[in-house]
């Protein structure tokens, strides 16, 4: 076992929170209120950066995501035991010693990785990973010009505002059928675009059997590759496909591929699912003692902001208890 690195007291924290989205900041707030010292590492590159308005967050419905982050950071930094380091990434998280019963044990070393803080390491009694996900959108020309304004990824977040309009659902994954049924709650005119994805009778973005079910519910399936999205200033007007056909729509949803941002955990042998999202128990504990995860980075993946914030708060309570070596009903 490697000897622990030496750190000044100012570089020792009860918990290092990696990520400053709703899960990470909610956890930091609650950890601070438990009078624990907290360092939040904020890369300042949120997945929802393209989204103009967020929905479904009680008391903050319709507030821009960047404003939610600003308010949350201000609240966290109002506590003397909390610090936020912005525009900073994490290069590595290492476990330097086993957990023991001594309260001053700091078994994790976190190395900050961007040039402005190169070489700085901090020590933590616990580490919470709340880095969220990175997105890869379907290979559709000019899709970025509409994403976050009239094309979205979360039907629960943005479906209400698109209600009763002709909508598109664009994706190439095998869960597209289930997503189509969900989106159809908000519209009677829905076209599912598989963008040329291969399929068979039983598998593919939408199988032949699934297509029959969708068509029975009035949902169209367009399998040709998308050649262009038409519209102006982020407002979608139509989808054009191979052969020149034009399908009018005024908005819709995209199924991205999601990639957990956990490269810095290499070497810790943390359990993940088939999509590399971190597996946790119901309280946010990963397979590595002292390492926790909350929000989109943890299975099952993407969720509403308020759900991620709740997960962060719950995990913070568990971290506080675990560091004390106690268990309560809370």
């Amino acid at each position: 076992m490697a000897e622990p690195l030496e750190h000044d007291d100012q570089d020792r924290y009860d918990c290092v929170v990696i990520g400053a989205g709703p899960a990470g900041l909610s956890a930091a707030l609650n950890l601070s209120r438990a009078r624990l010292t907290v360092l939040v590492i904020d890369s300042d590159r949120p997945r929802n950066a393209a989204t103009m308005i967020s929905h479904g967050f009680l008391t903050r419905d319709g507030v821009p995501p960047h404003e939610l982050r600003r308010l949350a950071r201000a609240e966290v930094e109002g506590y003397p035991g909390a610090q936020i380091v912005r525009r900073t990434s994490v290069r590595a998280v290492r476990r330097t010693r086993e957990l023991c019963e001594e309260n001053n044990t700091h078994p994790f070393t976190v190395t900050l990785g961007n040039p402005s803080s190169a070489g700085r390491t901090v020590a933590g009694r616990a580490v919470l990973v709340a880095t969220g996900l990175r997105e890869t959108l379907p290979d559709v020309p000019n899709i970025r010009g509409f994403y976050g304004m009239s094309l979205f990824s979360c039907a629960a977040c943005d479906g209400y505002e698109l209600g009763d309009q002709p909508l598109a659902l664009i994706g190439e994954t095998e869960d597209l059928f289930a997503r189509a049924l969900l989106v159809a709650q908000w519209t009677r005119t829905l076209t599912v675009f598989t963008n040329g994805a291969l399929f068979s009778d039983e598998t593919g973005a939408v199988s032949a059997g699934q297509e029959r079910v969708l068509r029975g519910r009035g949902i169209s399936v367009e399998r040709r590759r998308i050649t262009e999205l038409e519209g102006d200033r982020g407002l979608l007007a139509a989808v054009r496909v191979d052969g020149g056909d034009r399908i009018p729509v005024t908005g819709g949803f995209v199924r991205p591929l999601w990639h957990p941002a956990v490269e810095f955990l290499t070497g810790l042998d943390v359990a993940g699912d088939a999509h590399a999202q971190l597996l946790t128990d119901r309280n946010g504990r990963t397979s590595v003692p002292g390492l926790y995860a909350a929000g989109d980075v943890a299975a099952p993946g993407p969720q509403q902001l308020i759900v991620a914030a709740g997960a962060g708060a719950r995990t913070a309570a568990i971290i506080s208890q675990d560091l004390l070596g106690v268990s309560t009903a809370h």
Side-chain angles (χ1 to χ4, degrees):
M1 183 66 63
E3 290 299 318
L5 298 178
E6 295 297 327
H7 296 275
D8 296 333
D9 288 343
Q10 65 182 8
D11 286 332
R12 292 176 178 267
Y13 301 89
D14 291 314
C15 186
V16 178
V17 178
I18 306 173
L25 290 172
S26 177
L29 176 66
N30 285 278
L31 289 166
S32 299
R33 290 184 56 79
R35 305 187 75 174
L36 298 175
T37 56
V38 183
L39 180 68
V40 180
I41 311 299
D42 182 4
S43 67
D44 222 4
R45 291 182 291 181
R47 180 171 66 89
N48 62 2
T51 303
M52 306 298 291
I53 299 293
S54 61
H55 295 287
F57 202 114
L58 194 63
T59 78
R60 291 294 183 269
D61 190 43
V63 173
H66 67 82
E67 177 66 6
L68 281 177
R69 291 193 299 275
R70 185 192 68 79
L71 292 169
R73 281 193 294 250
E75 289 178 352
V76 170
E77 291 180 317
Y79 288 84
Q83 298 179 44
I84 299 178
V85 180
R86 296 187 59 180
R87 298 182 180 86
T88 301
S89 60
V90 171
R91 182 186 304 162
V93 176
R94 294 185 175 86
R95 190 176 174 85
T96 55
R97 63 168 71 168
E98 295 300 319
L99 287 171
C100 70
E101 296 180 356
E102 299 177 15
N103 288 337
N104 64 352
T105 298
H106 291 72
F108 292 97
T109 293
V110 179
T111 303
L112 308 186
N114 67 340
S116 64
S117 59
R120 182 187 176 191
T121 61
V122 298
R125 297 171 63 198
V127 171
L128 171 61
V129 180
T131 46
L133 303 169
R134 290 189 292 268
E135 291 182 331
T136 300
L137 297 180
D139 185 15
V140 172
N142 67 328
I143 194 170
R144 284 284 178 186
F146 299 93
Y147 192 54
M149 287 172 280
S150 56
L151 282 177
F152 306 93
S153 62
C154 176
C157 303
D158 298 288
Y160 185 86
E161 283 66 33
L162 297 179
D164 300 320
Q165 301 179 38
L167 301 182
L169 172 61
I170 302 171
E172 303 167 3
T173 58
E174 293 187 1
D175 61 356
L176 212 57
F177 170 73
R179 290 178 179 275
L181 296 178
L182 178 63
V183 172
Q185 292 183 111
W186 288 280
T187 180
R188 295 182 179 180
T189 308
L190 175 63
T191 303
V192 179
F193 295 88
T194 65
N195 197 34
L198 298 176
F199 77 101
S200 68
D201 286 345
E202 300 298 333
T203 63
V206 176
S207 71
Q210 290 171 340
E211 180 175 353
R212 287 192 293 272
V213 173
L214 293 178
R215 291 192 181 280
R217 299 192 182 197
I219 301 170
S220 301
V221 176
E222 175 53 70
R223 297 190 180 276
R224 289 174 289 179
R225 182 169 291 279
I226 297 171
T227 58
E228 184 183 6
L229 298 180
E230 296 182 0
D232 184 51
R233 298 183 180 181
L235 300 179
L236 190 62
V239 178
R240 196 174 290 276
V241 296
D242 275 343
D245 288 344
R246 180 181 183 274
I247 295 93
V249 295
T250 56
F253 295 92
V254 176
R255 197 325 189 165
L257 296 179
W258 290 295
H259 314 280
V262 293
E263 295 84 356
F264 52 84
L265 295 179
T266 300
L268 281 184
D269 195 25
V270 188
D273 67 7
H275 305 287
Q277 288 162 312
L278 301 182
L279 292 174
T280 69
D281 66 11
R282 65 187 297 269
N283 295 314
R285 300 182 185 97
T286 72
S287 61
V288 175
L291 183 72
Y292 303 79
D296 290 354
V297 74
Q303 51 201 275
Q304 288 181 275
L305 298 180
I306 196 166
V307 177
R314 179 179 181 83
T315 304
I318 297 303
I319 292 171
S320 178
Q321 294 170 26
D322 286 353
L323 291 177
L324 288 170
V326 301
S327 176
T328 73
H330 173 61

